[in-house]
Amino acid sequence: MGDFPPGLWARARLLAAGLLVALPGCAEVPPCDVVPGHESHAIGNAGCMVIRDERMLVVRDRHSGRLGFPGGARDPREPAQCTAARETWEETGYRVRVGPEVARFGRDFFLYRCFAGDRAALNDPPQVPFSSRIEIESVHWLRPADIDSQDWRFPEQFPYVLRLFEQEIRP
């Protein structure tokens, strides 16, 4: 698979399946930006917990109709932190700086506390990037208290998500 840009193989598979018309933005993937002192060699699928004004950035999955953190599958040899940043950018259009790991779901999904790469950009109404509309229905800034646990992608994890959120906004 060589030295192709992150996300290229996933997009190529969609293109081959006739689900994408082009490979939009594959050269535009921002570089992986990690908060100094929080570098990790973890490998696995990953996502970001991004918080602004006591709201979390969440995406609604088109297939399940449920909410979850932006995140997804890693590309070959991609560190989990870079997966979290890339997937967040692909699903929301927001560039983030990846901070510490805040949770691990199962053995291979890492959740990182991520921060706005450009604080001003987070004030725009979130839009699903064109290249992710097959997978993502919508992007939202929501207060966790306003989310019904049954609307969360993995309802059994939602009480833990609430605790994580509280820890992050009230350290």
Side-chain angles (χ1 to χ4, degrees):
M1 293 196 206
D3 296 315
F4 291 101
L8 179 62
W9 287 111
R11 289 186 184 94
R13 285 190 300 272
L14 289 173
L15 181 63
L19 299 173
L20 282 180
V21 187
L23 298 175
C26 67
E28 301 171 18
V29 174
C32 183
D33 187 9
V34 177
V35 174
H38 292 287
E39 298 86 356
S40 169
H41 297 291
I43 300 290
N45 303 330
C48 279
M49 173 185 267
V50 184
I51 298 171
R52 180 196 81 191
D53 301 329
E54 298 193 9
R55 296 171 191 255
M56 294 189 313
L57 181 64
V58 296
V59 296
R60 185 171 299 279
D61 179 75
R62 185 168 298 285
H63 305 292
S64 71
R66 293 186 169 177
L67 297 169
F69 294 112
R74 73 178 183 91
D75 283 341
R77 297 183 303 268
E78 181 179 51
Q81 289 174 310
C82 295
T83 298
R86 176 184 52 76
E87 286 284 338
T88 299
W89 178 78
E90 288 177 356
E91 293 180 359
T92 69
Y94 292 143
R95 294 176 185 221
V96 294
R97 176 175 259 192
V98 183
E101 179 183 325
V102 294
R104 191 173 303 182
F105 297 101
R107 289 189 294 168
D108 71 341
F109 189 89
F110 299 86
L111 181 64
Y112 293 95
R113 176 67 165 98
C114 298
F115 305 90
D118 176 4
R119 175 85 175 139
L122 294 183
N123 292 324
D124 294 337
Q127 300 289 322
V128 178
F130 179 79
S131 59
S132 291
R133 291 182 184 164
I134 300 274
E135 169 185 13
I136 303 299
E137 182 178 308
S138 55
V139 180
H140 308 274
W141 287 104
L142 297 176
R143 287 184 170 77
D146 296 336
I147 299 172
D148 183 312
S149 65
Q150 294 307 305
D151 199 25
W152 195 252
R153 185 169 179 200
F154 300 102
E156 69 281 0
Q157 295 174 353
F158 195 66
Y160 184 57
V161 168
L162 289 173
R163 286 193 300 277
L164 287 173
F165 178 81
E166 287 299 320
Q167 289 171 0
E168 289 301 314
I169 65 167
R170 298 185 201 335

